[in-house]
Structure formats: structure tokens, C-alpha cells
Amino acid sequence: MRSTGILLPVFSLPSDYGIGGFGRSAYEFVVFLSMCGQSYWQILPLGQTSYGDSPYQSPSAFAGNPYFIDPETVCGKGYVPKEALLSLTPADGNIDYGRLYRERNIFLRRAYLGFLENIPGDYYDFLRREEEWLTPYALFMVLKDRQGGGTFLDFDGETLKRENYDALCREYSREMDYYRFLQYEFSVEWDALHAYARSRGIKIIGDIPIYVSADSVDVWSNPEQFVLDADLRPKFIAGVPPDDFAADGQVWGNPLYDWEYMKRDGYSWWCRRMKRSLALYDKVRIDHFVGFSNYYSIPAGDETAARGEILPGPGYEFFATLREKLGKMDIIAEDLGMLRGGVEELLAATGFPGMRVLEFSFSGEDNPHDPKNYPKNCVAYTGTHDNPPFMGFWLKIPLERRRSLSRRFPRGYPHVCDRAVAYVMESEADTVIIPMQDYLRLGDEGRINAPAVLSDKNWSWVLPDDYARASVARRIINITDASGRRR
């Protein structure tokens, strides 16, 4: 069935409290999607953010972002009085993560005290169900708090010793309960929103990074799964080699997996991670999927990617093992970028759909990203969260070139953004996902992220309050109907 959806991060939802979350605006967006005949809401990772505010660099591959807990829902449960909402500052244009960090923790700690006065009956079921990742996460966060939020690599030597883990859990159990509460409340609110989306015919496409942060509980509590030295510091780190876009390549800094150990271990950590992801979402987009085919290994400490080495990934056996243990997995493979050798074969073996992006299509007749060349088994986009909105991209192309390129777009639409969206929607791709900014005809002011650029503008865009106006809804419905993709 030909289907379509919209890409919008949860943090970009309109909010009176500094950042989008699981409250009223999320439910309103689901209604908007349903009204417009969409099938999917694609989001970015729901993980807790840290330095740089990127959802792709989290202190845990399992924990959710407490910023998404809805303040009004917390008030409605009686954990805090309504006047406590006055302590939270609305976003002034974009998200201010510094202010959010200062304000939200105070509010949530106050809510925790209210929670303790009337603990829900299912709370202890949650603790038992999620204990395997929740306990080490809660301890990790307490230990980071006790050193002012610094990296775990600054923990003292005794803390890093595994034989001290149980003693630390006992010592800090009361402080850990705050982080258990946050994850419980996150889970309850997300499950309710997810169930509501399903009731309105909307499926959620989640997103998980292939790598984890060097400063994460995953590395601290599972060091054998990564290529580390005796001090738990990465020996080699992830990135991509030099190319026409970045002469020095990109150094991401994530520790690399010890794939040989993981194979001997039956990929147990990945099985746990995928099991949780498949429970959170209806489909899972795996970022940097090419890394399972082959990956780039850079010596730790190098400031450029020039000395990196291409190494083989775990390949099909990895996914066969996960499928054997977890059953059917509805996965979208983000197969973009460099290091493509073997990725087509891996996609064919797994049957997972890859991605096609219109903004990559304007060079050569046989370009696989040109909608006229899309296979059925793919997920197509005008652009991703790492691209500028289509209008911002389009205006950077010289005028004469634009005139030439626009001839390939369908006619009958008044705006180039609408024509570009229609071009992708009319392709053979089974699924099309359009960033919300492209339906709003936004330029660079709507950009989510500029890769490899540390900026307070990244991950901070907020959807305008009037996004659901009749003209926008009518535009989405018309293009969806014309392409035969209406749910």
C-alpha cells in the first residue's frame, strides 16, 4: 500500500514550557496527521540529550528524555500545584537548552516529591520490567550529578571497579529513585500518546543512532562491548573519511563496537536495545545503517579523519541473529553517505527498505535519488533532519539551474515546494515522509541540524503555532490524494 507521513521531532512541537513534549500539542499533531490522511509520524530519537543537545548523543541508549514529560500532565496528577507551571519559561523563538536545564530539573524534582506521596500501583511493575537497564542508568546519573555533570571518565578509580557496583547501588538508592521516577513518568506518558496515535490510524517511526556516546552508561556498564583501553577510554572512534564536502572527513568521537566480542556474546546488548526500540515504535529507522556493512575507524585523539581505516561490519549475520531472537523487525535503513560498499547486498539480504532523498538527486540522469528512479521498496524524502528545508536548499541553486531543474517537477501546483513534494509523492516508493517544514514552505529558518557544526541553532527549531491552518491542511490533503497515498 502506498503511504505517506510527516517528519517532525517531538522537541519541535509548540509548547508553553520551553520545549515540545508529550502533552496537548502532541495529541493535536496526531489529530492533524489523521485529518490530513497521513499514515506515519516520524520522529527523531527520544533519548536524553547531553552536551551539544543532540538526540544522537545520549547518556543512555535505553532511557527517555525527561524534557518530554508534560508539565500539565504532571500537575493533573497532583504531583505539583498549577502555580508551579509559572516557573517554566516559554520558548522565545527557538529552544533555549541552557534555560531548560536550569528550570526543568527544579520542576521535576518538585514533582518527584509529590509522586512519593501517592505512588501508582504499576510503578513497581515498571521497575521490575525495566530493571536491567534502569538501575545502571539511575546510578550513572547520580554519580554524574555528584561530580557536577562531568564525564564518567572523571569518576574515581573505585567507582569504575565492577566489584563496587552493588555497594554503590545500596549507597545511592534513594537518590537513584528520582531517575527511576523520571523514566516511569516518561514511559507512562509516551505509551498513552503512542496508543492514541494508533487509535487515530497513525504509526510512529522512531529513530536510533547506530553508535552510543563515549560518556554513556552503555560504555561504563558494558565496557566489554566496545573497543576500549584499560581506563575505559576509546582506542578508536567513529566518523567518516574525507570527501568533497569535508576535506578532513568527520570525527564523531563515538566508541566503536567490539563486533567480535558481540558475536561471541550473541549480540545480547543489541538484542536488548532493539527489543526496547521495537516496543517504543511501530517502525525503527536505524541511523548510519552502512556501518553494519563497513565502518570507519579513526585512532582516538586524532583531530581529523585522515588516518582512518575502513573495516568490515557484522553484516547479515547480525540481523539474522536479531531476527531469530526477536522475530519480525520493521526497520528502515538509513543507507546514505560514504562507505557504501556492500550495503546494497545487505539491504537485499535483509529486505529492509533504504532511503532516497530528493535534495541529493540533482546530478546525472541515473541518480538513484531522482524520484523517477526510486524502487518500490524504499522510503523517500524531500530532505532529512540533516538537510536544509527544501526551500532553503532550492534558493542556493543558481537561478538558471533552478529553471532547468524545475522542468522535471509536476505542474499544477502554485509553489516550488509543493511541486517538489508532489514529485516525490508520485514516485514508485512505497512510503514517503515529508518534513513538516516543506509543507510550510520554510527556508533555512526551519533547519533542524547542520551536521558537524556546533551551534545553539541545532535541535532548537519550534513549529509555528498556526501550522494547522486550513490552507496548510488543504495543501497536504490535495497532494496526498493526487498521489494515491491517502490513508
Side-chain angles (χ1 to χ4, degrees), residues 14 70 119 205 388:
D70 178 49
I119 298 175
I205 299 176

Side-chain angles (χ1 to χ4, degrees), residues 10-13 18-20 53 67-68 91-100 456-462:
V10 169
F11 61 73
S12 290
L13 288 163
I19 190 171
D53 309 314
Y67 289 159
F68 295 156
D92 183 14
N94 289 354
I95 299 166
D96 183 338
Y97 282 97
R99 177 185 292 169
L100 194 65
D456 60 4
K457 293 183 179 179
N458 286 345
W459 320 112
S460 64
W461 176 73
V462 176

